[in-house]
Amino acid sequence: MLTAENPLPAPVRAEILALAAQELYPRGASVAALRLVQARFGWVSTTHLREVADLLGMSADDLDGVATYFNLLFRRPVGRHVIMLCDSVSCWIMGREPLCAHLCRKLGIRPGETTADNAITLLPTVCIGHCDHAPAMLVDNALHGDVDTAILDHLIDTLRDMP
Amino acid sequence: MTPPSERPLTAMIDPATGPPDCAAYEHAGGWQATRKALSSLAPAEIIDMVTRSKLRGRGGAGFGTGQKWSFVPKEPATDRRKYLIANADEMEPGTFKDRLLLEGNPLQLIEGMILAAYGVQAGHGIIFLRGEYDLACTRLHRAIGEARQQGWLGGNILGSGFSFDIHVHSSAGRYICGEETALLTALEGRRATPRSKPPFPQTGGLWGAPSVVNNVETLCNLPHIIANGPEWFAGLGLGEDGGTKIYGVSGRVAKPGAWELPIGTPLRQIIEEYAGGMRSGYRLRALLPGGASTAFLDAAAIDVAMDYGSVEKAGSRLGTGMAIILDDRTCPIGMIRNLEHFFAQESCGWCTPCRDGLPWVERLLDAIEDGTGQDEDMDQLARHARMLGAPGRTFCAHAPGAMAPLVSGLKLFAADFAAHIQQGRCPLQAGA
């Protein structure tokens, strides 16, 4: 089984080396490599971070500086699905606070936490460029606009049923 | 022959059909500019045409595009590694114009990049795309693949001897990467803090090589300037600036959205005619004309022409041209708190005034909005606004940008601040 605590599988290592080979210097692939690991494992564990650093010829601390810098790179495990509810200005004006409170109540968690069944992690996110359809959110990679409580309730049920 | 469209940027964008492929793009007038440039124009002529078109950078700073390019060393691309980078890290809160161009017509951006790269003789192209723009990413990859297959990208384009290709860098979400030197640092796989200038990117940019960073909307204008001429482009604007601009409105208006209009269109027309005015039951109180880092304009100022000079004269900045509306039932202090939360969180942490000052500002605003603010807090806010707002006291423009809505808000909403402190509560609630 693939877990974040086992070494990276050989094909993933090969993909990272291929990314590095496209760059003038290997470290130019650091974000792409971290995103690749996260796409496979859901987050970037310290075991994997060290391996990636090694493949790119960087120190683990140097790469961790990159990994912890970006909003979309997770250095802690997340649930099977991640809801990122925009908390920037247009969405705030259009009522994202009551929606966030509704989500927290329904899920029994606070922003930054994962449900006990490991189905859903709720995170705030900065403006996702969908302000003409505020309030907006990203669910995994999919964009949703004009969000209301009915949409959220339906979404939660759907996500819980999905693998 | 049909005259060129007065809405050149969006002429081929139709959400119902998706973006045009190479053939549809060519049929609608695409690739003309590339043929013309590579067969009959010298790189210096491209730069000259763009300068004469009065195109100014659409990312927010408004620097003349031709002038920006003029600082790049002139060696041919074959003799020196140079980069042309499209800044598609659209993260200014309230801004959604580049998404429209990226998703709606990626080939237009690709052609704009070819022309810019030919002008500055750069052989390497990079699109720095924000990580959240998933659909744009898919469409860009498809368009680049097709353009490469048909010979518009790659070695010896159209037999001209000019070679250029494009790589998409998907970022992972960080506002400061939109600042061009932080963007370069990010591309080098480092923690993306801004760099000190000089050297300027045009002489010492990515991996030390000459690099030009242009906003997506800026680049998308180039095919039209080269195909139809700089005088035609300059004539599209209503005032001193050339071309059209994608304007947008969000907040409690009847029809939030984005529209391509002549640059210099009055803000009143954008809000009342295109955005349909305020929703019923709401009045326009104030607005940010061009994203989170622009100063508030009072409702009385909405006759301002939306060009760089006019908005500056009115006391703000055109910025991205995407207006955020404050209505009379939304708390202005709550709105400023939301903005400062964003800036505090997105501070890269490199320099102390920004790293420590912005969270302090946020906490002061928290207290005032939550009803525990004191009179002294207003002095502290004013002091921070002075210290962080003036350019030169912080490493980059992040903190001065963050202070723009605060400084203007302290003046415009003085009575609201006082009411919060006196009453010990927020007289209004957001999202009500």
Side-chain angles (χ1 to χ4, degrees), chain B residues 39-217:
Chain B
S39 65
S40 65
L41 295 170
E45 288 176 285
I46 301 277
I47 299 180
D48 179 57
M49 286 172 85
V50 172
T51 307
R52 284 192 285 135
S53 77
K54 299 185 183 173
L55 173 65
R56 295 176 64 170
R58 301 292 196 240
F63 200 78
T65 305
Q67 196 191 355
K68 188 176 202 175
W69 294 356
S70 69
F71 302 121
V72 179
K74 301 284 185 273
E75 292 102 316
T78 42
D79 291 2
R80 186 161 182 187
R81 176 176 276 268
K82 290 186 247 178
Y83 292 95
L84 184 277
I85 300 161
N87 187 345
D89 195 50
E90 178 169 70
M91 284 187 76
E92 180 75 20
T95 301
F96 47 99
K97 64 182 183 70
D98 295 338
R99 173 207 286 286
L100 179 82
L101 295 168
L102 292 161
E103 292 179 356
N105 193 357
L107 288 169
Q108 177 174 249
L109 172 65
I110 292 168
E111 184 170 20
M113 290 180 73
I114 295 168
L115 294 164
Y118 179 68
V120 300
Q121 286 292 296
H124 302 270
I126 296 170
I127 299 173
F128 191 100
L129 180 68
R130 67 174 299 190
E132 295 86 346
Y133 280 6
D134 204 49
L135 180 62
C137 187
T138 308
R139 290 184 173 178
L140 280 170
H141 277 290
R142 193 188 303 146
I144 290 168
E146 199 198 359
R148 206 177 271 148
Q149 200 178 29
Q150 305 213 359
W152 297 104
L153 291 173
N156 193 19
I157 300 168
L158 300 180
S160 64
F162 177 65
S163 302
F164 177 70
D165 210 338
I166 298 176
H167 166 78
V168 178
H169 174 94
S170 285
S171 187
R174 198 67 201 241
Y175 175 67
I176 200 63
C177 292
E179 196 277 342
E180 64 179 7
T181 64
L183 182 151
L184 297 172
T185 315
L187 286 174
E188 292 178 0
R190 295 170 197 279
R191 212 173 157 82
T193 52
R195 302 176 178 181
S196 113
K197 292 184 273 196
F200 288 87
Q202 291 97 320
T203 52
L206 182 59
W207 308 115
S211 306
V212 167
V213 183
N214 283 140
N215 169 260
V216 166
E217 186 183 351

Side-chain angles (χ1 to χ4, degrees), chain B residues 98-404:
Chain B
D98 295 338
R99 173 207 286 286
L100 179 82
L101 295 168
L102 292 161
E103 292 179 356
N105 193 357
L107 288 169
Q108 177 174 249
L109 172 65
I110 292 168
E111 184 170 20
M113 290 180 73
I114 295 168
L115 294 164
Y118 179 68
V120 300
Q121 286 292 296
H124 302 270
I126 296 170
I127 299 173
F128 191 100
L129 180 68
R130 67 174 299 190
E132 295 86 346
Y133 280 6
D134 204 49
L135 180 62
C137 187
T138 308
R139 290 184 173 178
L140 280 170
H141 277 290
R142 193 188 303 146
I144 290 168
E146 199 198 359
R148 206 177 271 148
Q149 200 178 29
Q150 305 213 359
W152 297 104
L153 291 173
N156 193 19
I157 300 168
L158 300 180
S160 64
F162 177 65
S163 302
F164 177 70
D165 210 338
I166 298 176
H167 166 78
V168 178
H169 174 94
S170 285
S171 187
R174 198 67 201 241
Y175 175 67
I176 200 63
C177 292
E179 196 277 342
E180 64 179 7
T181 64
L183 182 151
L184 297 172
T185 315
L187 286 174
E188 292 178 0
R190 295 170 197 279
R191 212 173 157 82
T193 52
R195 302 176 178 181
S196 113
K197 292 184 273 196
F200 288 87
Q202 291 97 320
T203 52
L206 182 59
W207 308 115
S211 306
V212 167
V213 183
N214 283 140
N215 169 260
V216 166
E217 186 183 351
T218 309
L219 290 164
C220 287
N221 278 303
L222 300 175
H224 311 292
I225 293 172
I226 303 304
N228 304 316
E231 288 72 26
W232 165 83
F233 185 84
L236 290 176
L238 300 181
E240 283 180 10
D241 302 322
T244 59
K245 175 82 192 75
I246 298 186
Y247 294 109
V249 181
S250 63
R252 294 204 187 272
V253 289
K255 294 179 293 180
W259 311 274
E260 182 186 9
L261 299 169
I263 193 161
T265 298
L267 184 54
R268 178 187 294 279
Q269 192 182 354
I270 298 170
I271 294 173
E272 292 181 357
E273 195 174 314
Y274 291 92
M278 297 301 291
R279 284 193 190 184
S280 115
Y282 294 90
R283 275 192 316 111
L284 172 67
R285 176 140 191 226
L287 57 95
L288 303 171
S293 62
T294 59
F296 278 101
L297 288 178
D298 186 63
I302 65 163
D303 286 308
V304 66
M306 286 286 273
D307 58 46
Y308 297 97
S310 304
V311 181
E312 205 168 309
K313 262 184 231 142
S316 187
R317 284 192 310 120
L318 179 63
T320 62
M322 307 294 283
I324 306 162
I325 303 294
L326 170 67
D327 59 77
D328 60 329
R329 288 160 62 181
T330 297
C331 176
I333 285 80
M335 179 169 171
I336 299 171
R337 167 169 77 167
N338 176 279
L339 294 165
E340 299 309 331
H341 167 73
F342 168 82
F343 287 112
Q345 177 187 303
E346 292 297 318
S347 169
C348 80
W350 178 255
C351 73
T352 309
C354 181
R355 182 186 61 235
D356 285 0
L358 293 179
W360 195 350
V361 167
E362 186 191 349
R363 283 198 298 275
L364 290 164
L365 291 165
D366 277 345
I368 295 168
E369 177 67 0
D370 295 341
T372 59
Q374 310 286 319
D375 287 332
E376 307 87 87
D377 292 344
M378 294 305 293
D379 301 333
Q380 276 298 344
L381 276 180
R383 186 159 171 267
H384 275 82
R386 262 199 321 278
M387 296 303 287
L388 292 168
R393 295 204 172 107
T394 53
F395 199 74
C396 77
H398 182 82
M403 290 302 101

